[in-house]
């Protein structure tokens, strides 16, 4: 079963704009991770935020975590056409398994 | 370092057959996990191995099994294939220093069951 739901399911923006994706989950977590997937290929790890952290940055990525609301957001600033992909949040609840959200399909128009 | 490799990349089988998929983790990684990805169910956890021991198993029928070898390479087997087993099967490895952290995924094996 999927722990997380992502919002929106699909997002289309112009190059240079910012893209924000949201993820909600149901149970307590150790950490939350974001992954990118290009066209049915393998997933690429983007960023990990632990349950005791509220915000984390990595290059053009900014992730926030609100454990009281059981939600996280991923912000990609100054989007590029190469950012076109599906983005998934995944939670680690201590079961030695990641539970993935349903994903957001991001299309960045050049 | 070479990334996670999965073989074969594509596979076509018929119902009732069995299949074995292989995963070679990044050198030094001892944890290997398997996931199934389908359009309908999304990404679902199959099992996780560490030092040849299965530590966790997802909610899949017994037709799905796996194992890990002493060199950390892992295989998963699906017996008596059903149409619904058509999916992208992803393997991930991790270094696991102090926790279940960043997972490094392979390119996946796309299985089609006819």
């Amino acid at each position: 079963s999927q722990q997380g739901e992502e919002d929106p399911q699909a997002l289309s923006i112009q190059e240079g704009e910012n893209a924000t994706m949201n993820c909600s989950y149901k149970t307590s977590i150790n950490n939350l991770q974001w992954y990118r997937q290009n066209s049915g290929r393998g997933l690429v790890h983007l960023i990990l935020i632990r349950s005791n952290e509220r915000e984390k940055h990595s290059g053009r990525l900014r992730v926030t975590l609100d454990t009281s609301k059981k939600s996280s957001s991923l912000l990609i600033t100054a989007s590029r056409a190469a950012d076109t992909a599906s983005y998934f949040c995944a939670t680690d609840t201590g079961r030695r398994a990641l539970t993935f959200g349903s994903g957001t399909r991001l299309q960045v128009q050049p | 370092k070479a990334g996670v490799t999965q073989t074969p990349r594509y596979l076509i089988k018929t119902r009732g057959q069995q299949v074995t998929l292989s995963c070679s983790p990044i050198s030094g990684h001892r944890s290997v996990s398997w996931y199934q990805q389908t359009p309908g169910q999304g990404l679902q956890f199959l099992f996780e191995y560490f030092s040849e021991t299965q530590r966790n198993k997802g909610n899949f029928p017994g037709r799905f099994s796996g194992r890990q070898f002493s060199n950390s390479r892992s295989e998963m087997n699906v017996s008596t294939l059903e149409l619904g087993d058509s999916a992208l099967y992803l393997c991930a490895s991790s270094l696991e220093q102090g926790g279940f952290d960043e997972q490094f995924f392979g390119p996946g094996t796309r299985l089609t069951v006819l």
Side-chain angles (χ1 to χ4, degrees), chain A residues 1-2 31 33 35 37 39-45 48 50 88 92 95-101, chain B residues 33 35 37 41-45 48 55-57 88 90 96 99-103 105-107 110:
Chain A
S1 64
Q2 290 179 331
N31 65 62
Q33 305 177 32
Y35 288 83
Q37 185 179 39
S39 293
R41 295 185 180 181
L43 285 85
V44 175
H45 182 267
L48 179 153
R50 300 192 187 281
F88 295 90
D92 167 24
R95 290 177 56 242
R96 321 215 70 79
L98 290 178
T99 305
F100 284 85
Chain B
S33 301
Y35 293 83
Q37 185 177 27
Q41 298 298 315
L43 281 151
Q44 293 189 291
F45 170 75
E48 190 257 353
R55 294 194 298 188
N56 194 9
K57 189 177 192 302
L88 181 66
L90 294 162
E96 191 136 335
F100 197 70
D101 288 346
E102 176 183 357
Q103 302 290 301
F105 282 82
R110 183 157 305 275

Side-chain angles (χ1 to χ4, degrees), chain A residues 56-68:
Chain A
K56 207 160 181 182
H57 296 254
S58 176
R60 294 185 296 113
L61 307 179
R62 173 179 169 255
V63 168
T64 61
L65 178 64
D66 187 335
T67 53
S68 66

Side-chain angles (χ1 to χ4, degrees), chain A residues 66-82:
Chain A
D66 187 335
T67 53
S68 66
K69 295 181 179 177
K70 291 187 170 59
S71 67
S72 174
S73 68
L74 170 67
L75 168 68
I76 304 174
T77 60
S79 296
R80 305 165 182 169

